[in-house]
Amino acid sequence: MAANPGDVIGIVAIYLGTRQLDCVQGSNIRLSGRKNTAVTTGYRTRTAASYQNGEVNATVVLGTGDDLDWPDPSSRGPLQVRCDTGQVVAIQDGILEQKPQISDNGGKAPLRWFFDNYTIQATS
């Protein structure tokens, strides 16, 4: 999908391997990297560096014929976050946190993946 100058991210598509997940609005990603932690010392605040893992959050919808036992937390694998503005975050080692809690009202199942390694590609 081609983006125009000045466009902002409107749609995020999540791919697990080559399978596009049916997600409701609200999917998000936090990239891994350095994090500053506040250290309060009397009347000053200093910082200590630490590492923050990457995280992808998405709520998939499950319906007729879908495998309810499908998300497998014991496996690692490729995950992609594709933005409608052309950016693609390719994750090599996505780790699913846990089996989802599946609800009524649309078969919504929130999922969370953790990761370390990623690359960002820009398409046009």
Side-chain angles (χ1 to χ4, degrees):
M1 178 174 286
N4 297 310
D7 283 356
V8 296
I9 296 172
I11 300 171
V12 172
I14 309 285
Y15 286 79
L16 186 58
T18 58
R19 174 183 176 189
Q20 182 176 2
L21 304 179
D22 291 327
C23 300
V24 299
Q25 278 188 317
S27 298
N28 63 66
I29 183 170
R30 180 186 69 210
L31 299 176
S32 58
R34 180 189 165 108
K35 173 183 173 184
N36 290 318
T37 304
V39 178
T40 305
T41 58
Y43 290 100
R44 284 181 65 184
T45 301
R46 302 182 76 175
T47 60
S50 60
Y51 177 78
Q52 177 173 270
N53 62 285
E55 187 176 301
V56 173
N57 294 290
T59 300
V60 299
V61 292
L62 300 169
T64 305
D66 289 341
D67 181 4
L68 299 182
D69 196 35
W70 151 74
D72 183 8
S74 65
S75 66
R76 294 176 180 235
L79 188 66
Q80 283 189 358
V81 178
R82 297 183 187 179
C83 303
D84 63 345
T85 49
Q87 299 96 331
V88 177
V89 180
I91 299 162
Q92 294 85 17
D93 62 345
I95 306 162
L96 184 64
E97 178 184 40
Q98 64 186 10
K99 292 267 186 193
Q101 182 173 350
I102 303 167
S103 67
D104 55 5
N105 191 22
K108 296 176 184 170
L111 299 172
R112 176 179 295 155
W113 289 268
F114 299 107
F115 65 92
D116 291 316
N117 304 313
Y118 67 92
T119 57
I120 299 177
Q121 303 147 4
T123 60
S124 53

